[in-house]
Amino acid sequence: MAPNAASSSSSNTMDPLTATTKMAKAIMSAPTGNGKLVCTILSAYDLPDGFVPESVTMSYREATGRGNGYNEISTGPPAAKHKDHNNSFKFGGPDSAANQLTISAPLPVLFESTVTFTLKYPDASKNLTSTCTIHKTLRVNDTQWLILNLDPVSDSAGTRTPLKSSASRISTSSSSSNEQQPTLRLKLRLEG
């Protein structure tokens, strides 16, 4: 027979709602649950003229800014050049694991982190980058297909080199530029 909470002789009993709230707060604040951020790099479009990327890296930094929350992993080179777009590349190929990147960390840390994707070239000054804030983009155990704009990496003085893209020409009334910005297409999932 289960004890009756109303007839408990203990003087320091807690009502069930308060106990549940305190337990939920303790679980959410304790970085003990393992999480996994899985990214599949699909392709890079409208890259600057004449450059073939070496790889794509994915890294994250904790929202708290602590230096020990950093991790970086990398794909291999692109598997093929797109037939229908100038200077655009597919990643993956026969070994589909070559374009899949996975970072494991406590789920609360991953959820509050910012992920940086860098398209790397042999000449590091040509690298392109984009960031994604996980808690603003993903839900846990939900897959998102993303197209991220790539920007030049800032140098130590904070200046960026302008891009000359080999993009397809399109005409839009709201834009004075006929060039497309380079993009990275990927599939992202936070598991935990």
Side-chain angles (χ1 to χ4, degrees):
M1 182 169 171
N4 184 349
S7 65
S8 173
S9 62
S10 174
S11 62
N12 60 358
T13 59
M14 189 179 303
D15 72 90
L17 181 58
T18 304
T20 302
T21 304
K22 285 187 176 190
M23 182 57 81
K25 286 180 181 177
I27 290 170
M28 289 304 292
S29 66
T32 56
N34 288 330
K36 190 164 58 167
L37 185 63
V38 180
C39 176
T40 304
I41 305 295
L42 303 171
S43 58
Y45 274 78
D46 300 320
L47 302 179
D49 288 327
F51 304 114
V52 177
E54 288 184 324
S55 64
V56 175
T57 62
M58 179 173 74
S59 59
Y60 82 96
R61 191 164 297 275
E62 291 180 27
T64 60
R66 289 189 289 163
N68 63 351
Y70 183 81
N71 192 353
E72 181 176 283
I73 54 176
S74 180
T75 67
K81 191 169 185 170
H82 274 288
K83 292 183 251 178
D84 57 343
H85 286 83
N86 289 335
N87 220 28
S88 296
F89 299 90
K90 297 178 189 178
F91 285 80
D95 179 16
S96 61
N99 65 329
Q100 189 167 354
L101 305 172
T102 303
I103 294 176
S104 295
L107 185 58
V109 171
L110 282 177
F111 189 71
E112 293 295 326
S113 68
T114 298
V115 177
T116 301
F117 296 95
T118 304
L119 189 70
K120 296 220 172 198
Y121 288 96
D123 177 1
S125 69
K126 307 287 186 210
N127 289 355
L128 301 173
T129 187
S130 186
T131 60
C132 176
T133 305
I134 297 301
H135 72 275
K136 292 180 181 178
T137 308
L138 293 176
R139 292 186 188 116
V140 177
N141 297 323
D142 188 27
T143 301
Q144 289 291 321
W145 298 76
L146 302 173
I147 299 175
L148 302 175
N149 289 330
L150 292 166
D151 296 313
V153 175
S154 298
D155 63 13
S156 58
T159 59
R160 292 183 168 196
T161 308
L163 293 176
K164 179 176 171 70
S165 176
S166 64
S168 340
R169 305 293 181 216
I170 60 170
S171 93
T172 61
S173 57
S174 63
S175 173
S176 63
S177 172
N178 285 337
E179 295 184 356
Q180 292 285 17
Q181 183 169 1
T183 58
L184 185 64
R185 293 150 194 246
L186 53 95
K187 183 171 64 169
L188 202 55
R189 180 178 175 87
L190 180 63
E191 299 175 355

